[in-house]
């Protein structure tokens, strides 16, 4: 099971587990061991030293065998601690789930009650409960359980509130399930890991608290031994006969340490975010480990040139070649489309430009990104930081997840400006209003104080664009900015981007999976498949006569309005997994023109008509090639 494997990877937790298992086994088999009776006094042999004639650990002030008392005491303390934890967790979780699930007045009444309990200092409350019930181990257990109930109730209520409003609970309700069933089948399974985590991290305390009450004489009553009462009885002989205190004290230390180490390990192993490594903080720039020196920069007028870019994900012993040698160049004021199926490496290409691919697991293993006369791959973080959002800006697919929910859009625009250009707030705010106007948001003066959730999807994407424009960048990389929007809003956003490009001379890299968008906006287009460019060239030429079978098949999947009913030819099969790329053409598996030669060796990207290139050994012939490019294509 992966839980045990994860736990075993945590050395300290494993040590805790081993120690705890040993202690628990010892406690379980204590009655079977050949030990002296723990409660039989023998005052003639009092305060015998350990390792002497009277037993391994010596005797206490009444001459009772310390080893026997220690094991019996441990048994009792563990039992009481675990029982208290179990009771507190069960009652606390039940209270928390009911409060969180029903909400409203029920929640209010219950949680105010819990708050009242929490208002008392912990140990004082336990003392008061024991004082009311009378001393005794059972009452100590009740007191310890009672003071821990609020902790569980609060935690579990919080988790339940977030679960009770989720869609799958609504779906269960719509399917006619009753509250009790929803709580048991939908809510509880989601809450149990939290309960287990809370328990594993609190059992240690509860054992300590029980021991504390016993130490004060409110828990186990003489002659019964538990770890706390043993300590309490040994207190008067602390200086003269320290071994009587050290023995139970060391045991408490060992147990609580082991439980806490184990509890931390359990928490980490149960947290799904830790499992996927999400909490391992990504580095500020993508890791670069180039195996070959970067290619020389091409001497042309491109603002941004990507050459031979290779980005991989190294996940344990697997290597995912998400981008396998991509060449692109972007001229000032040009719009370059990158098109391809989902998973073809478009986003990873775009993020690699500014070193934004998360590392680990991302690694750039080759290539060059030439911008502003320098190679950005492997550039120092400070250089990239200054360019990000200032000279190269991104627009992402879902602005709801990229905008901060608790700040107004104005505050976020101001922040975007001031991150790069320290301007007075008032000035930055005026600039932000201007930006909102530039992206055609009506009533920019009042809209600037809206929160992201108060705007529609199209508005939010306009804010995303405004933010990208904030510092007048030279290049905007738009990663499927219209995919989440409906067609009318998409059309507005596209024409907005087109206008902005013409007004401001922006160069745009536009990532999409929609040929309609490419046709409307892009000058040139690059088609990606399995991390490589399979065809590139002027958008109009490729759209009228695709050369690569993949491009042709992709276009055949696009329904045509007014074209009458026609069979949409979905491409059979799936793109190859990027950790097991086949030799030769990655598309061969799904291509109806594939030949034996397609599956051998590397297939290069070759020139194919004016300004076009294609990665195929049998492309569709280029239409009416101009005479001077024939020789180029034949190379
Ligand atoms: P898209 O073209 O849809 O934008 P991406 O660039 O996001 O595709 O992803 C390209 C490939 O990289 C996909 O096959 C994806 O599975 C892989 N990939 C992306 N992120 C990771 C990651 N963190 N670990 C492993 N593989 C990843
Ligand atoms: Mg993507």
């Amino acid at each position: 099971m992966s839980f045990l494997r994860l736990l075993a990877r945590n050395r300290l937790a494993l040590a805790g587990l081993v120690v705890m298992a040993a202690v628990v086994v010892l406690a379980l088999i204590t009655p079977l061991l050949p030990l002296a009776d723990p409660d039989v006094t023998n005052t003639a042999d009092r305060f015998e030293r350990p390792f002497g004639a009277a037993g391994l650990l010596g005797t206490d002030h009444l001459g009772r065998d310390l080893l026997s008392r220690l094991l019996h005491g441990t048994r009792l303390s563990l039992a009481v601690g675990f029982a208290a934890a179990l009771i507190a967790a069960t009652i606390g979780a039940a209270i928390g789930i009911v409060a969180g699930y029903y909400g409203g007045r029920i929640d209010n009444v219950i949680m105010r009650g819990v708050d009242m309990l929490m208002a008392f200092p912990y140990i004082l409350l336990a003392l008061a409960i024991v004082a009311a019930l009378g001393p005794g181990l059972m009452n100590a257990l009740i007191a310890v359980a009672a003071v821990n109930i609020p902790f569980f109730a609060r935690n579990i209520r919080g988790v339940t509130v977030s679960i009770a409003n989720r869609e799958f609970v609504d779906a269960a309700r719509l399917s006619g399930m009753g509250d009790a069933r929803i709580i048991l089948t939908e809510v509880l399974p989601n809450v149990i890991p939290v309960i287990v985590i809370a328990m594993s991290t609190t059992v240690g305390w509860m054992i300590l608290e029980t021991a504390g009450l016993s130490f004060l004489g409110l828990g186990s009553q003489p002659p019964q031994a538990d770890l706390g009462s043993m300590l309490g009885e040994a207190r008067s002989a602390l200086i003269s006969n320290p071994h009587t205190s050290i023995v139970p004290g060391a045991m408490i230390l060992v147990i609580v340490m082991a439980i806490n180490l184990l509890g931390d390990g359990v928490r980490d192993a149960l947290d799904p975010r830790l499992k996927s490594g999400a909490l391992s903080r990504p580095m500020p720039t993508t890791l670069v480990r180039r195996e070959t020196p970067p290619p020389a920069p091409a001497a042309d007028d491109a603002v941004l040139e990507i050459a031979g870019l290779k980005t991989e994900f190294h996940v344990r012993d697997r290597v995912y070649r998400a981008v396998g040698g991509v060449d692109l160049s972007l001229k000032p004021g040009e719009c370059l489309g990158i098109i391809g199926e989902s998973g073809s490496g478009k986003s990873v290409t775009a993020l690699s430009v500014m070193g934004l691919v998360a590392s680990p697991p991302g690694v750039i293993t080759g290539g060059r990104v030439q911008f502003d006369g320098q190679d950005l791959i492997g550039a120092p973080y400070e250089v990239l930081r200054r360019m990000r959002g200032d000279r190269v800006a991104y627009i992402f697919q879902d602005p709801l997840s990229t905008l901060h929910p608790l700040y107004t859009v104005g505050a976020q625009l101001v922040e975007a400006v001031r991150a790069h250009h320290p301007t007075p707030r008032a000035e930055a705010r005026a600039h932000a209003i201007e930006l909102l106007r530039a992206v055609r948001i009506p009533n920019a003066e009042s809209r600037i104080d809206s929160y992201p959730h108060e705007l529609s999807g199209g508005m939010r994407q306009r804010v995303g664009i405004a933010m990208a424009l904030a510092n007048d960048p030279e290049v905007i990389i738009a990663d499927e900015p219209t995919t989440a929007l409906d067609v009318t809003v998409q059309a507005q956003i596209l024409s907005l981007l087109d206008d902005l490009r013409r007004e401001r001379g922006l160069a745009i890299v536009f990532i999409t999976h929609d040929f309609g968008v490419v046709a409307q906006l892009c000058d040139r287009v690059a088609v990606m498949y399995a991390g490589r460019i399979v065809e590139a060239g002027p958008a109009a030429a490729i759209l009228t006569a695709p050369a690569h079978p993949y491009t042709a098949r992709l276009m055949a999947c696009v329904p045509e309005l007014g074209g009458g009913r026609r069979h949409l030819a979905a491409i059979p099969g799936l793109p190859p997994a990027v950790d097991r790329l086949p030799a030769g053409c990655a598309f061969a598996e799904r291509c109806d023109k594939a030949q034996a030669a397609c599956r051998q060796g590397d297939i290069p990207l070759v020139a194919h008509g004016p300004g076009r290139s294609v990665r195929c050994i049998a492309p569709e012939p280029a239409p009416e090639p101009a005479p001077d490019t024939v020789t180029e294509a034949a190379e």
Side-chain angles (χ1 to χ4, degrees), residues 343-468:
S344 53
K346 308 181 298 289
S347 298
V348 176
T349 305
L351 293 173
S352 300
V353 169
M354 281 282 125
L356 289 172
V357 178
S359 289
V363 186
I364 294 180
T365 55
R368 162 187 288 275
V369 171
Q370 187 76 14
F371 177 79
D372 189 32
Q374 57 179 322
D375 184 10
L376 294 187
I377 293 198
Y381 166 65
E382 200 42 43
V383 171
L384 287 174
R385 191 192 69 76
R386 262 186 271 120
M387 286 187 181
R388 288 174 183 173
D390 189 26
R391 310 201 41 200
V392 178
Y394 285 83
I395 304 172
F396 293 104
Q397 176 174 340
D398 180 11
L400 193 55
S401 62
T402 44
L403 289 174
H404 196 300
L406 299 182
Y407 290 101
T408 61
V409 296
Q412 297 182 59
L413 281 169
V414 167
E415 187 185 26
V417 175
R418 285 168 45 113
H420 291 288
H421 306 279
T423 34
R425 262 183 199 285
E427 209 173 293
R429 187 181 158 89
H431 183 49
I433 293 177
E434 235 171 76
L435 286 169
L436 291 181
R437 281 212 197 96
V439 294
R440 323 264 193 277
I441 288 188
N443 287 334
E445 292 85 353
S446 59
R447 275 308 190 184
I448 190 166
D449 294 318
S450 305
Y451 288 91
H453 69 268
E454 295 171 329
L455 303 175
S456 67
M459 286 286 188
R460 278 199 291 268
Q461 193 53 285
R462 282 167 199 263
V463 173
I465 297 173
M467 202 174 265

Side-chain angles (χ1 to χ4, degrees), residues 71-109:
L71 291 183
H72 279 97
T74 304
R75 189 176 150 85
L76 207 58
S77 287
L78 283 183
V80 173
F82 279 112
L86 213 57
I87 294 171
T90 311
I91 299 180
I95 293 176
I97 288 177
V98 167
Y101 180 78
Y102 289 100
R105 181 169 304 167
I106 297 181
D107 183 25
N108 241 327
V109 170

